[in-house]
Amino acid sequence: MKALFITFEGIEGSGKTTQAKKAEDYLKKLGYPVLRTYEPGATRVGEYIRRILLEKNDDPNSLHPIVELLLFSADRTQHLQEVVLPALEQGTTVICDRYIDSTTAYQGGGRGIDFELVNQIHKIATLCIYPTRTYLLDLPVEVGLQRISRRGNILDRLETENIEFHQRIRDCFLRIANQYPQRVMIVDAMKSEEEIALIIQNDIRDLCQKH
Ligand code: Z5A
């Protein structure tokens, strides 16, 4: 099988990390080499960038939206060069928690940056590497925010944004899924962890056979 590049997307608390782990375990059980990673912050340079972007208790307006877009994108290029591409070239399937759709949804949909501009930056930052499959874990914003508030952690700049901001992000993710139905699969994140995992496993099994 050719190495797959699988991404997980969704609003906060949608269960991406939970499902990315389960997909990793499943692929390993099938005997495939797999690497699970995330954005932002999975490289040494990315750790610095993540600190600037997601400092806890930070002023929500401390970064200009364009700076935010460029920093997420810079993290992406470094991550691709250092982590994702070497793995794919070795035949290792890569599972990534958030990728370009998060930038389109948060910086485009959420912050209101012109989508044309966001797409131009994607062309530069992604080195033309696009996912084989994206799982969009979709659920109402209120439920996602409740799930993360239960963790009791101090919130970062994006988590403290108002409900309308998060709603615009959810809407934008759904628009992306409608725009790229071949790549993006919408998964109902209100189902149980096990039900969701099963839906994703069935799809991964099909993907493995096709590639
Ligand atoms: N961001 C951006 O703006 N632009 C970009 O280009 C990129 C990112 C790449 C990264 O945050 C932030 O950066 C993010 C978007 C922005 N916004 N913020 N803030 P992060 O890396 O710190 O975290 P996250 O990606 O937002 O994930 P998360 O909030 O930690 O949630 P999650 O990974 O989707 O969910 P989870 O950790 O798997 O589950 C959350 C809780 O729900 C947990 O207690 C689970 O046990 C529970 N859970 C999971 N599944 C279920 C089901 N099915 N039922 C019930 N409960 C469940």
Side-chain angles (χ1 to χ4, degrees), residues 14-169:
S14 55
K16 299 177 308 306
T17 311
T18 305
Q19 293 302 327
K21 280 185 193 153
K22 287 183 185 291
E24 176 190 21
D25 292 346
Y26 179 68
L27 275 158
K28 282 186 175 161
K29 218 166 71 185
L30 294 180
Y32 295 113
V34 52
L35 173 88
R36 183 167 56 85
T37 182
Y38 60 94
E39 290 189 1
T43 61
R44 193 179 64 82
V45 168
E47 276 177 36
Y48 292 118
I49 297 176
R50 184 180 171 98
R51 242 177 275 158
I52 300 170
L53 284 165
L54 300 172
E55 191 77 76
K56 302 288 176 191
N57 265 343
D58 203 1
D59 170 7
N61 301 313
S62 61
L63 285 182
H64 189 284
I66 296 287
V67 175
E68 199 176 272
L69 167 68
L70 293 173
L71 285 175
F72 277 114
S73 303
D75 169 77
R76 178 158 307 130
T77 308
Q78 188 71 27
H79 184 220
L80 282 165
Q81 283 287 8
E82 236 178 84
V83 179
V84 178
L85 275 174
L88 291 174
E89 278 163 12
Q90 279 178 14
T92 298
T93 281
V94 175
I95 296 177
C96 191
D97 195 337
R98 296 197 182 278
Y99 193 59
I100 43 169
D101 300 325
S102 280
T103 315
T104 306
Y106 280 79
Q107 282 63 55
R111 297 286 189 222
I113 300 176
D114 179 62
F115 287 108
E116 266 305 306
L117 178 61
V118 174
N119 286 335
Q120 280 172 20
I121 300 292
H122 283 339
K123 278 194 194 134
I124 302 167
T126 59
L127 314 171
C128 295
I129 307 296
Y130 296 99
T132 327
R133 168 71 80 237
T134 297
Y135 297 107
L136 170 59
L137 297 177
D138 178 59
L139 84 177
V141 167
E142 296 80 1
V143 180
L145 295 179
Q146 262 164 24
R147 284 187 192 170
I148 58 163
S149 72
R150 260 186 242 128
R151 286 200 289 234
N153 294 347
I154 304 168
L155 301 180
D156 62 42
R157 272 182 338 102
L158 290 157
E159 287 165 340
T160 50
E161 283 289 346
N162 62 28
I163 196 121
E164 289 78 21
F165 174 80
H166 293 283
Q167 188 59 53
R168 287 200 298 279
I169 290 162

